[in-house]
Amino acid sequence: MTSPVSLTTVFPGLVWAMAALALVQVLRRAALWRAGAAASVPWLSGLASLPRRYLVDVHHVVARDGYASRMHAVVAGGMLAASLLTALAILPPLGGFRPYWGVVAAAFGVMAAGSLMVGARRYPVKKPRLSAGRFQILPVLLLAYALGGTLTALLLALGAGAIALPFTLALAAAGGLGLAFEVRHGPMRHAAAGALHLVAHPRPGRFAGRPDTALQPLDLDAPRLGAEMPADFTWNRLLSYDACVSCGRCETACPAFAAGQPLNPKKLIQDLVAGLSPAEPAYAGAPYPGGRDARGGRGALIELVGPEARIHPDTLWSCTTCRACVEECPMMIEHVDAVVALRRNQTLELGALPEKAVGPVTELRQAGEAGGRPLAARTDFAAGLDLPVLAPRGRADVLLWLGEGAYDLRYGRSLRALVRLLRQAGVDFAVLGPEERDTGDLARRLGDEATFQALARANIATLAAHDFGRIVTADPHALHALRNEYPAFGGHYAVVHHTAFLLELIRAGRLTPGRLADVSVTYHDPCYLARYNGETEAPRAVLDAIGVSRVEMARSGRRAMCCGGGGGAPVSDVPGERRIPDLRMAQAAETGAGIVAVACPSCTAMLEGVPDRKAEIRDIAELLLQAVEAGR
């Protein structure tokens, strides 16, 4: 009969065997990642930063779901502590010390409690956003390992149960080795891949406390442009897709999915995973809306996008690039980067733009403006305002970048309000006039990197010929391009959103607004201002300064829902069951506010286009001007 003394060696040996099996499974998975393109990874800094990235950055997102946060802390913390303590018990002084086994039993007990919490989300009824399939066996394996470990350690602590010990150890082995086996294709893959992903993250700037949202420039001389097949992604991006735990948070945040367009960011990531591995188990989560089943072959050199491939082109063009999926992902996966990489290949290699997008992109290439309108007509909105142009003046403290919204009659009213406020505050400002081209944001989001780079270089050359202090713009898309994406091409500027600049003027006493106490307002956060640039407070501070009654929508700040106007979605025009702006205005209606305050020309156009809306759409500059005039 096996003695308790020998089992004090066998039990730690089980944990070491689990670690060895998990390592083998990781190495087998890593062979797939090696099919990807090369990537430079700062390994030393990444490894040193792993504890903080995991315990702070990841758990900051996990904590948004209180139950999931507690569950994860208990089950993961208990499993790591119990496994490590058991592994160390192979040392004779520890293995023969009964109180030590009592501590091990307590750690396994904590894990058992967490395992029950995991099971409660899947049995008897699975939460809708979670994937099924092999994930359904996860709580069973966790509980088997935890219970077997608890009983084994407890019996060793008591020095009793020689007959029972082999059976409790067998239960622990079944669960533990099962978990280790699942590292390659099953639900434990995310644990190993997730840790490596945090070390080798393609956007390490995300962990530096600032938005890291600029797209990486594409080498236009590369043999293949964009991503056609899994092997075109860098190896650490292939690794990042394996970090997906199929929790479905991206799915519930995605505006295209909510609108019934053929996009589910969770399924998109899983299609990238499945496209790489012929042995990948079948996807068992919510499909793309519309019911289209995944087709196409698998393998590192297999085409990913096409009418008969794994990812239908309409799935790509449904994305508004709003980064709601990225914001909600607890594993910090970059879904939008994947979408743009695939779009680049479709646009630059295949010329496969959506039909309605061909015209605007062609005009951008030929005229420097998506509508093909004269660049000099950009200032037509300011008729009668005597808008100063920079070139004749020689210098200005502020360069007002008008953006594409200037051509729109409705947003022209917002820009007129902004110009009047700047004049009231005595700001020394000017515009480029006919020298201002499109920033290229639309072209870049649609995958036309060549047109974007041409426009960026032309704008940078224009700006280099002028003397100014800061750039102020009311267009978050232009803000993002000028502030975050032009530096890669040599354009470095201080760029400020108009709401932040107006707040400066109020706090400096250069604008003295009255109070609009009887006005009820809810503010809609533009994606390219809140998520891409982290600016959520300045617009609200301006609204508070004018005394409106401000009420928040259920989704606000960095977690706000997109208006549907980004990423080229309006010109891609992929049909769905509903319209994204209709959904957003329904959320606004729930607040009871009479005005939806906006701070982006795209948001203005999309939300004003909602039929039967109950609230008025007003730019913050318009509301501030009203308050300033009321305070005279």
Side-chain angles (χ1 to χ4, degrees), residues 452-546:
F452 166 77
Q453 291 192 18
L455 287 167
R457 290 191 171 94
N459 281 323
I460 289 169
T462 297
L463 292 171
H466 294 293
D467 186 9
F468 57 90
R470 291 188 288 176
I471 298 176
V472 172
T473 181
D475 184 346
H477 296 264
L479 171 85
H480 175 67
L482 293 166
R483 176 192 283 176
N484 300 320
E485 300 198 322
Y486 276 27
F489 303 94
H492 299 272
Y493 316 105
V495 190
V496 184
H497 189 250
H498 77 304
T499 57
F501 189 67
L502 292 173
L503 181 62
E504 284 184 30
L505 298 176
I506 292 171
R507 288 176 172 173
R510 298 172 68 177
L511 288 175
T512 53
R515 299 184 66 80
L516 306 180
D518 297 330
V519 178
S520 175
V521 175
T522 186
Y523 173 62
H524 164 75
D525 289 271
C527 302
Y528 275 71
L529 186 61
R531 275 189 288 274
Y532 275 79
N533 284 276
E535 181 61 84
T536 59
E537 294 307 314
R540 289 171 169 81
V542 173
L543 291 173
D544 292 342
I546 63 178

Side-chain angles (χ1 to χ4, degrees), residues 164-216:
L165 273 169
F167 297 101
T168 61
L169 184 63
L171 179 61
L177 293 174
L179 289 171
F181 180 80
E182 292 296 320
V183 165
R184 184 185 179 200
H185 286 305
M188 289 303 292
R189 179 174 63 204
H190 86 278
L196 290 171
H197 163 55
L198 293 177
V199 172
H201 199 284
R203 285 187 179 273
R206 287 189 64 183
F207 305 102
R210 58 177 174 79
D212 182 5
T213 53
L215 292 171
Q216 295 179 354

Side-chain angles (χ1 to χ4, degrees), residues 272-293:
L272 293 174
V273 172
L276 177 65
S277 172
E280 184 67 19
Y283 173 73
Y288 296 125
R292 182 184 180 276
D293 295 329

Side-chain angles (χ1 to χ4, degrees), residues 84-314:
L84 180 60
L85 290 170
T86 304
L88 292 175
I90 200 168
L91 302 173
L94 295 178
F97 187 48
R98 289 184 181 178
Y100 183 82
W101 286 111
V103 175
V104 174
F108 271 112
V110 171
M111 180 188 170
S115 303
L116 292 174
M117 295 178 73
V118 175
R121 300 212 308 168
R122 296 185 173 275
Y123 297 101
V125 178
K126 177 183 68 65
K127 291 189 68 171
R129 65 178 171 86
L130 300 176
S131 290
R134 293 174 77 133
F135 277 90
Q136 291 299 97
I137 199 176
L138 178 60
V140 176
L141 294 175
L142 288 170
L143 191 58
Y145 180 47
L147 286 179
T150 302
L151 294 173
T152 300
L154 190 59
L155 290 173
L156 290 173
L158 297 174
I163 296 177
L165 273 169
F167 297 101
T168 61
L169 184 63
L171 179 61
L177 293 174
L179 289 171
F181 180 80
E182 292 296 320
V183 165
R184 184 185 179 200
H185 286 305
M188 289 303 292
R189 179 174 63 204
H190 86 278
L196 290 171
H197 163 55
L198 293 177
V199 172
H201 199 284
R203 285 187 179 273
R206 287 189 64 183
F207 305 102
R210 58 177 174 79
D212 182 5
T213 53
L215 292 171
Q216 295 179 354
L218 183 65
D219 179 5
L220 297 175
D221 294 323
R224 181 161 40 242
L225 302 177
E228 177 186 9
M229 57 189 71
D232 292 330
F233 290 97
T234 59
W235 70 266
N236 58 337
R237 289 193 182 271
L238 295 178
L239 159 66
S240 74
Y241 306 146
D242 271 351
C244 176
V245 68
S246 291
C247 66
R249 293 195 189 195
C250 60
E251 174 185 302
T252 58
C254 177
F257 182 81
Q261 293 177 271
L263 170 61
N264 178 345
K266 179 176 75 172
K267 175 130 183 12
L268 175 67
I269 295 300
Q270 290 305 311
D271 274 342
L272 293 174
V273 172
L276 177 65
S277 172
E280 184 67 19
Y283 173 73
Y288 296 125
R292 182 184 180 276
D293 295 329
R295 307 183 182 97
R298 299 185 180 190
L301 303 179
I302 298 297
E303 183 181 27
L304 285 166
V305 181
E308 300 302 323
R310 295 203 65 79
I311 302 171
H312 193 277
D314 284 350

